[in-house]
Amino acid sequence: MTVRILPLPETAPPVPDHGLGALSTDRGNLPLDSVDVHASLTGLAARIEIVQGFRNPFDVPLEATYIFPLPDRAAVTALRMEAADRVIEGRLKERGQARQDYDTAIAAGQRATIAEEDRPDVFTMRVGNILPGERVTIRLSLDQPLPHESASSATFRFPLVVAPRYIPGAPLDGERAGPGVADDTGAVPDASRISPPVLLPGFPNPVRLALRVDIDPAGLPLTQIRSALHVVAEEGDGERTTVRLQPGERLDRDFVLRLDFAPRESAALSLIPDESGEEGTFSLTVLPSGKARPRPRDVVLVLDRSGSMHGWKMVAARRAAARIVDTFRAEDRFAVLSFDTVIERPRDLGSGLVDGTDRNRFRAVEHLAALGARGGTEMLTPLDEGCRLLADPNRDRVLVLITDGQVGNEDQLLAHLEPRLNGVRVHTVGIDQAVNAGFLNRLAAIGRGRCELVESEDRLDEAMEHIHHRIAAPLATGLDLHADGLEIVPGTVAPARLGALFPGVPLQIAGRFRGAPSGTLSVRGTASDGTAWAQQATGVVAENPAARSIWARAHLRDLEDQYTVGGPDDLEQRIISASLRFGVLCRFTAFVAVDSRVATEGEAPHQVVQPVEMPRGWAEAAPMAAPRMAPAAFAADMEAAAPPAGAAPMAPMSPAPMPAAPSGPPPMPQGAPPGYGAPPPVSGRPAGRARRAAGPAPSPLTRFQQELANVLGRLRQVPDTREERVQHLLSELLPILESIVQRMQTLSLDTKPLAELRDDLHRLRPTADQPTVNDQWTRTLQVLADFTGESPPRRPFWKRPS
């Protein structure tokens, strides 16, 4: 192979200690120059303040945009803007109204900021009309629970970087939803809001990071504090401990702090009254013990081998999968599906479930040992295939997904899978130092399972102990909550799906109550031997200021997931009302702060999108080309330019592959100085129109899917009138259907649904009445969505009607 190396752009003289790709400009540094995190842990809850410092290095007013992560379970409860000796408190408003207020203020020359949630763990901050040389400070307040990993440990995890995500689907026409580097697609209509540009390798640390955690066990028997990925300094007086991050760290991986406690076995119920005394929040923790009676299991193991899994992640994923396979007994049945843009299975094990015999387990482990990272993350089809295989209601049915979770079409996946998970438990294993915890927790929640996160190989053995318990037979299933002497407000219990109870895995339930803070709660279900199971706790009045907002965030997350998969017509308004009542940010609301003082003459400010770090360990998966060149080829993709023998093509419901990218320089965010950022150079993660230079050629079926996915995207933009719909059905879609059906028939592919649709369109008259056209339109979109794998999405969270 011959690679042409282009000369670097002209730069200022090199600066000592600056790495390759670090350029100096006459406009100085990027706008974000500091992030300060201060967390106060009390018992099993955390109150966090995040301070983001923005400075304008330009000679004109600036609007800075920063796409950043927060813990997916955290409740954002307040925003404050500080600038020019002024303090402006943010207000939580319906998202469309907040955007309008922000845009109006910027146009009028006022300083303003807006914080919006795009995923449970991805947020966008815009700060506008920062004067030249001026500094603006944004403070966010959060409340967060500390998830239990076992009866004797809890975790404080704070993400620091949004990793590049794979964006499937055909690009949409029209205005982009955000300023990121990925194009919006039918599968990810807000991809441009979750894809920040990425700093070039070797760029000097642009952001000063400070992080402090104050720990008060609040009576819990704390025995050990462990920092998983960072070097920290620890100090304390025996009762309280402070952990500080060493200076000089970059925002390129999660901060993970594990708290170990002496083992406990009990149930605890805390009742926290509101100030009014009329209502309050309850928090119930059940710590189960005992052993379950094993039943024959059907287990499908789905393993992500896409390009971003390169390096230690692929090694850890193989080890985790092999450990799970080793637990299968002869009476169990299983299947192993490894995937990137194709699905592969162990040789000689067929396409269905096989018995857990020594021979079959050996074949599975042999297959796992040979896997390398490559290709894209087409996750919908293997998960759909896993659900199809788990069809026997007389057996325990378990689906285990091992992945870094770095996909952008989370809502599409959840909407597609939720109706197919009836009776199937889903456990997720997230492997990464900047893992997509929001998606993996959501998927495990709708699957009534658990999520386990692994940030290093050192953590794997401990995590596998937890995973082993969770895929084993549960202690109790069919759980529900019963109150005695305590009035629970209907519809407020979170999580809405209680799922199953596993040995050594705590169950946490929260909700709202009315009246006096007294009474008992019991969790009841059916034990593994078929007998009744129950555990009860008596309420104790407690002080926990964070309990109300932590519950509200969990409740809103349940409602948002209902919205994703379908729900009543008034669900959006219910989400907005709950968000505003309890003062917690969600995907339908936003915090906005507007300074009443006019700072500029109202000219449009210079816009800069803050580039983010490449997550640590990802550079190996995606070596960069010369600065400002598109990442033309990545080593992980080139491990396999074509699928190996025996690889199965994706089934028809697979999302259409991303169209690819021009080979020239990638588009830079508006106003970004040369050399500061680049699109996410991630193997298997084409962003927008970026093309991988090498990889498996698409199958004929995939090409047909892509053709119709492009048409489907255009049809969804058609105005809602009879004339427009008839014209597009007969003039645009029908000729394409005729061609595709004919070509598919020559290849002996199944054309029945498309041929039936073609025949229906032939019978559609241009003068048909509105109801007839509407019925045909709805059926057409459904057929195309089924064929391309793009479920018709509900209106995205981010898009408000005009």
Side-chain angles (χ1 to χ4, degrees):
M1 176 184 296
T2 300
V3 179
R4 184 168 62 95
I5 300 178
L6 299 182
L8 291 172
E10 293 184 5
T11 70
V15 180
D17 300 325
H18 286 198
L20 176 65
L23 308 180
S24 298
T25 75
D26 58 0
R27 290 187 167 183
N29 294 322
L30 293 164
L32 180 72
D33 65 5
S34 66
V35 172
D36 193 323
V37 180
H38 178 204
S40 297
L41 277 53
T42 304
L44 296 175
R47 308 210 84 167
I48 308 168
E49 183 180 67
I50 305 160
V51 182
Q52 298 173 349
F54 294 88
R55 185 181 66 85
N56 183 359
F58 302 93
D59 54 6
V60 293
L62 170 69
E63 181 183 42
T65 299
Y66 178 36
I67 300 171
F68 65 101
L70 290 176
D72 66 293
R73 299 170 187 262
V76 182
T77 59
L79 176 146
R80 174 185 294 178
M81 177 173 66
E82 301 172 2
D85 298 324
R86 295 171 65 80
V87 176
I88 302 94
E89 297 291 344
R91 296 183 59 191
L92 184 63
K93 297 184 178 184
E94 184 274 330
R95 192 167 180 175
Q97 183 62 55
R99 285 184 167 189
Q100 181 178 331
D101 291 353
Y102 174 84
D103 291 340
T104 300
I106 297 304
Q110 298 164 277
R111 297 183 190 87
T113 186
I114 184 171
E116 303 175 73
E117 177 185 330
D118 296 303
R119 294 292 186 275
D121 54 352
V122 179
F123 297 74
T124 298
M125 182 75 70
R126 285 189 286 162
V127 187
N129 282 333
I130 309 173
L131 295 179
E134 185 176 61
R135 181 177 178 81
V136 175
T137 298
I138 308 297
R139 297 180 184 271
L140 290 172
S141 298
L142 287 71
D143 291 326
Q144 176 190 351
L146 302 187
H148 281 287
E149 292 177 341
S150 69
S152 59
S153 68
T155 300
F156 173 69
R157 177 184 296 269
F158 195 89
L160 293 170
V161 64
V162 175
R165 301 185 178 190
Y166 178 75
I167 306 298
L172 298 176
D173 295 328
E175 184 179 356
R176 289 156 60 99
V181 298
D183 282 342
D184 302 327
T185 72
V188 194
D190 61 346
S192 60
R193 293 191 60 85
I194 61 170
S195 55
V198 176
L199 285 170
L200 296 174
F203 192 85
N205 193 353
V207 180
R208 179 190 60 80
L209 171 63
L211 193 151
R212 188 182 89 197
V213 182
D214 297 327
I215 303 169
D216 178 0
L220 294 176
L222 181 63
T223 59
Q224 187 180 20
I225 300 171
R226 295 176 288 152
S227 175
L229 296 178
H230 292 84
V231 176
V232 297
E234 186 176 328
E235 57 189 52
D237 58 9
E239 294 184 1
R240 291 174 174 82
T241 304
T242 296
V243 173
R244 299 177 188 272
L245 192 63
Q246 296 281 31
E249 292 282 9
R250 302 178 74 110
L251 286 84
D252 61 358
R253 61 198 185 278
D254 297 345
F255 177 83
V256 182
L257 205 63
R258 289 199 163 79
L259 311 179
D260 295 335
F261 303 96
R264 298 164 294 144
E265 293 183 4
S266 63
L269 173 61
S270 297
L271 304 175
I272 305 97
D274 292 348
E275 291 184 3
S276 67
E278 296 179 357
E279 289 190 358
T281 303
F282 71 81
S283 178
L284 174 65
T285 301
V286 178
L287 299 170
S289 61
K291 293 185 178 180
R293 175 182 296 179
R295 295 177 54 196
R297 296 176 298 173
D298 286 349
V299 181
V300 175
L301 191 59
V302 180
L303 179 66
D304 178 1
R305 62 166 310 175
S306 63
S308 69
M309 294 292 290
H310 182 82
W312 76 269
K313 291 196 289 183
M314 194 72 248
V315 174
R318 291 195 304 250
R319 285 182 57 200
R323 290 276 294 275
I324 293 172
V325 170
D326 284 341
T327 68
F328 297 149
R329 303 158 299 170
E331 60 266 31
D332 296 330
R333 300 186 303 187
F334 76 94
V336 174
L337 309 178
S338 58
F339 74 94
D340 52 351
T341 48
V342 296
I343 299 175
E344 296 178 35
R345 297 172 170 84
R347 63 186 180 93
D348 300 332
L349 294 192
S351 59
L353 298 172
V354 297
D355 295 332
T357 62
D358 289 345
R359 174 191 174 277
N360 291 340
R361 287 189 286 111
F362 174 81
R363 290 290 191 219
V365 173
E366 182 183 48
H367 168 77
L368 293 168
L371 293 179
R374 64 164 198 219
T377 317
E378 293 288 354
M379 191 178 288
L380 188 147
T381 299
L383 291 177
D384 191 83
E385 173 69 3
C387 294
R388 185 190 68 79
L389 292 172
L390 297 170
D392 188 345
N394 298 314
R395 299 168 70 89
D396 278 348
R397 292 172 286 165
V398 181
L399 188 149
V400 182
L401 171 64
I402 302 177
T403 178
D404 57 11
Q406 302 299 357
V407 292
N409 60 326
E410 298 101 316
D411 290 344
Q412 181 199 40
L413 290 167
L414 296 176
H416 182 83
L417 292 172
E418 196 272 344
R420 293 162 171 79
L421 291 178
N422 187 27
V424 177
R425 285 197 308 277
V426 179
H427 300 293
T428 57
V429 183
I431 300 179
D432 200 356
Q433 295 186 359
V435 70
N436 186 350
F439 166 58
L440 297 178
N441 276 311
R442 292 172 71 194
L443 179 56
I446 71 166
R448 294 174 170 83
R450 303 284 294 195
C451 171
E452 188 76 24
L453 302 180
V454 179
E455 68 277 356
S456 67
E457 283 192 85
D458 294 338
R459 158 84 177 138
L460 186 61
D461 288 339
E462 178 185 1
M464 289 312 302
E465 282 295 316
H466 301 158
I467 295 165
H468 173 68
H469 288 306
R470 293 169 189 182
I471 66 171
L475 282 172
T477 56
L479 302 180
D480 55 17
L481 191 64
H482 293 262
D484 184 6
L486 185 70
E487 183 184 356
I488 297 178
V489 179
T492 65
V493 175
R497 302 174 176 89
L498 296 186
L501 199 63
F502 299 92
V505 182
L507 175 65
Q508 294 177 291
I509 305 170
R512 297 282 290 171
F513 67 86
R514 292 193 186 101
S518 62
T520 63
L521 286 179
S522 59
V523 178
R524 302 176 186 175
T526 303
S528 58
D529 59 3
T531 60
W533 180 94
Q535 195 164 9
Q536 180 176 289
T538 300
V540 176
V541 178
E543 292 185 7
N544 183 356
R548 187 173 186 261
S549 56
I550 287 175
W551 161 80
R553 183 65 194 97
H555 177 59
L556 287 166
R557 186 170 61 243
D558 281 342
L559 294 179
E560 288 172 342
D561 286 345
Q562 289 180 37
Y563 181 88
T564 297
V565 303
D569 293 338
D570 67 342
L571 187 54
E572 176 182 339
Q573 190 54 51
R574 286 169 53 196
I575 296 171
I576 294 171
S577 297
S579 174
L580 297 179
R581 177 188 174 191
F582 294 102
V584 172
L585 180 65
C586 75
R587 292 172 74 180
F588 279 127
T589 56
F591 272 107
V592 61
V594 175
D595 188 353
S596 59
R597 179 188 297 175
V598 174
T600 74
E601 297 180 358
E603 68 271 22
H606 182 67
Q607 296 179 338
V608 173
V609 181
Q610 175 75 27
V612 302
E613 301 274 1
M614 177 64 73
R616 193 170 74 165
W618 282 47
E620 300 174 17
M624 286 291 296
R628 300 208 59 191
M629 290 178 62
F634 306 130
D637 273 340
M638 297 179 65
E639 289 183 19
M650 300 302 271
M653 72 280 295
S654 169
M658 281 299 295
S663 57
M668 298 298 291
Q670 183 179 354
Y676 274 122
V682 181
S683 174
R685 278 180 172 59
R689 305 181 189 277
R691 182 187 295 272
R692 296 193 310 274
S699 67
L701 180 59
T702 300
R703 290 196 294 270
F704 298 141
Q705 288 174 319
Q706 181 175 348
E707 285 185 53
L708 288 180
N710 292 334
V711 176
L712 178 58
R714 293 195 295 272
L715 292 180
R716 286 180 175 154
Q717 309 300 315
V718 171
D720 184 10
T721 66
R722 188 195 70 81
E723 293 78 8
E724 289 281 356
R725 288 183 168 183
V726 169
Q727 177 183 350
H728 281 81
L729 289 174
L730 299 182
S731 301
E732 178 179 4
L733 176 60
L734 184 54
I736 294 174
L737 272 181
E738 293 274 20
S739 172
I740 288 179
V741 169
Q742 182 178 5
R743 285 179 284 158
M744 289 178 65
Q745 288 173 342
T746 62
L747 296 172
S748 300
L749 296 174
D750 179 19
T751 64
K752 182 178 179 181
L754 296 184
E756 290 177 349
L757 176 61
R758 175 202 59 189
D759 296 341
D760 287 345
L761 293 180
H762 274 300
R763 290 189 287 268
L764 180 66
R765 303 271 70 86
T767 56
D769 59 21
Q770 184 77 51
T772 301
V773 173
N774 288 346
D775 289 346
Q776 183 60 59
W777 185 263
T778 300
R779 167 170 154 65
T780 297
L781 296 186
Q782 184 62 56
V783 171
L784 297 182
D786 290 343
F787 182 76
T788 62
E790 291 190 12
S791 302
R794 300 189 65 163
R795 183 177 51 75
F797 289 95
W798 53 268
K799 182 173 284 188
R800 301 292 303 154
S802 57

